[in-house]
Amino acid sequence: MRVGLIAMLRASEDGSLRGSLPLAGRSVLAWQAALLRSLGVERVLCLIESTSADVIALQQELEGQGLQFHALKGFAAIPALVRAEDDLVILLDGLVPDPAVVQAVFGGKDGLARAVATAPADHPLAAAHPEDFERIDAGRHWAGVLAMRGAPVQQLADFPADADPIPVLLRIALQAGTPTQDLTARELVPESWFLAESPAALARHETALIARAAPPADWRAPSLALASALVRRAVPRGIAQGGLIAGGSSLALMLVGVMAAAFGFPALGLAAAGLGVFGSQVAGGFGAISARLRREEPAENAQAILAGTVDVLAGIVLWFALAPWPDWVPLAVLGPVVIGLARVLASSGDTGMATAARDRTSLLLLLALSAAFGFLPETLACLALGLLAALLLRRDKE
C-alpha cells in the first residue's frame, strides 16, 4: 500500500496555518491530498493540532473517493499505520509542487520510485526557510518531498513525543539508504514549487495559476470571451459552487424564456434565453478551468448535456417567438433550424465563422432585438441562409 503523510501544523506569516490557506477554490491541504492521490496513495495521514472544517471536508472528500484518511494529533500512531511493505510519501507542510515535476521525480517502473528530492543550498527557498528545507549535506537541502520504504518508519516509535516527525522521518529515510534526486533550478521555480508562506504570496501564485489554466479569450465570440473573463475572476471564490450556480441559473433562465415566448413576449423570451446560454458558457468555463487546475479530464459528458439541453430550449424559445402557444405556424420551424445550423457550423473547426457560431448568446440577443422591432422572421431567414452558405463553402474547401 502507498501511504501519504501531510501536515497542517506550521503557520504562515499572518499566523494562520499554511494548510488552511485557500488556493484557487480549495485549501492548500486539499491540493496536497490531490497530489498524493495522483501518485497512487491509498491512505492519507494528516498531522494536526486540532480538528478543523478544512480537515473534516478533506476527510469526507477522500473517503468519498475510496481513500482512507487519518487525522493524527501526534505521530505515535504512524508506525502502526505504515507497514513494513508499504511506501510512505511525505510532503512538507504548506508545499504545493507541480504534479508533473513530482511525477518526473518519482515515476519509477511501478509508478513510484523511492527518493528524497533535494534542492541546491543556494536556492531562494532553502535560504529563506532553512527550518523547512533542511540541510542534507554541504551543498544540498531537502526539497520538501520524499518517498521511502515503510520498514524504517517503525523507528519513529523510538523518538520522544515532542519530536518533529517529518524532519525525523527525513533523517530516517537518508540513514536507510533512500537515494536522493537533485532538482534543477528550472524545476524549482515558484510556478512549479510553491510554499504557502503568506497570504500575499498565495494570492500572487493563485493569479498566475489561474492565468495559465484559463482558456484564451477569443473576442470573435464576445460572450464566450466575457464568460472566460468572468470565470477567471470568480474561480478563487469556489470552482464547484460557481459551476453549479451558473448551470442551475442557465436552465432556470431558459425555462423563463420558453414561458415568456409561449405567452406572447418574444423579445423578453429571447433575452432571457440569451442570458441562459451565457450561464451555460460560464458553467462550461468553470468546468474547463477546474479540470486544468486539478489536471483532470474535463467532465465532457456533463458539459455536453448542459450545452445540448440549452440549445434545445433555445430552439423551443425561437419556435414560440414565431408562433406563441397555441398558434401553429409552419414558419416557426425556422427557429430550431437556425440553432441546428449554428451547432453544426460551430463543430466544424476553429475558423472565424465556427467561433462566431459558438456565440449563441450574441445570436439570441440579436434576435431579441429583432423581435422587439418586429423583424424576427426576416432576421431568422437571413441567418439560416448565411449559416447554410458558410457550411457549404467550408465543405467545398475540404
Side-chain angles (χ1 to χ4, degrees), residues 16 27 74:
S16 56
S27 66

Side-chain angles (χ1 to χ4, degrees), residues 167-352:
V168 169
L169 285 168
L170 170 63
R171 295 299 170 187
I172 290 174
L174 292 170
Q175 291 168 7
T178 306
T180 58
Q181 178 68 47
D182 298 335
L183 299 183
T184 65
R186 184 176 181 180
E187 293 169 320
L188 290 169
V189 294
E191 292 80 10
S192 60
W193 212 261
F194 173 74
L195 180 67
E197 56 188 316
S198 69
L202 204 70
R204 291 192 297 270
H205 183 66
E206 178 180 77
T207 300
L209 196 67
I210 293 170
R212 292 196 302 272
D218 189 341
W219 290 101
R220 293 175 297 179
S223 74
L224 289 171
L226 183 60
S228 178
L230 180 62
V231 168
R232 284 196 296 272
R233 293 182 64 86
V235 159
R237 297 180 181 88
I239 294 176
Q241 298 89 339
L244 290 173
I245 292 170
S249 300
S250 169
L251 293 175
L253 284 165
M254 294 304 299
L255 292 175
V256 169
V258 170
M259 297 296 293
F263 285 103
F265 301 97
L268 178 60
L270 288 167
L275 294 176
V277 172
F278 182 75
S280 73
Q281 293 167 350
V282 171
F286 272 108
I289 198 171
S290 173
R292 289 190 181 99
L293 282 172
R294 302 184 183 194
R295 293 168 177 83
E296 301 170 348
E297 290 298 321
E300 293 182 355
N301 288 339
Q303 294 177 21
I305 290 171
L306 177 60
T309 302
V310 165
D311 277 344
V312 169
L313 291 172
I316 295 173
V317 171
L318 280 170
W319 179 291
F320 283 137
L322 291 170
W325 182 265
D327 295 341
W328 166 255
V329 178
L331 185 63
V333 75
L334 197 58
V337 167
V338 166
I339 297 297
L341 289 172
R343 278 184 66 92
V344 174
L345 181 58
S347 62
S348 64
D350 195 28
T351 63

Side-chain angles (χ1 to χ4, degrees), residues 44-120:
V44 176
L45 312 180
C46 182
L47 297 169
I48 60 172
E49 289 182 346
S50 60
T51 304
S52 66
D54 291 314
V55 174
I56 294 172
L58 180 60
Q59 179 175 3
Q60 293 172 343
E61 179 184 349
L62 293 180
E63 290 178 349
Q65 296 168 352
L67 278 68
Q68 300 177 34
F69 181 86
H70 300 270
L72 307 175
K73 296 179 182 178
F75 62 86
I78 292 178
L81 293 169
V82 182
R83 298 168 299 186
E85 64 272 19
D86 291 339
D87 288 315
L88 178 64
V89 183
I90 301 175
L91 289 179
L92 174 67
D93 192 341
L95 183 68
V96 186
D98 188 331
V101 177
V102 176
Q103 290 282 0
V105 173
F106 296 101
K109 292 181 180 180
D110 61 348
L112 184 68
R114 299 175 184 127
V116 175
T118 65

Side-chain angles (χ1 to χ4, degrees), residues 2-6 29-45 62 67 89-91:
R2 291 175 189 166
V3 182
L5 177 62
I6 52 181
L29 196 69
W31 280 98
Q32 291 187 319
L35 172 59
L36 292 176
R37 186 184 176 209
S38 72
L39 293 173
V41 165
E42 301 170 66
R43 175 183 291 162
V44 176
L45 312 180
L62 293 180
L67 278 68
V89 183
I90 301 175
L91 289 179

Side-chain angles (χ1 to χ4, degrees), residues 370-385:
S370 299
F373 286 98
F375 296 107
L376 181 58
E378 294 84 353
T379 305
L380 280 172
C382 292
L383 280 171
L385 287 174

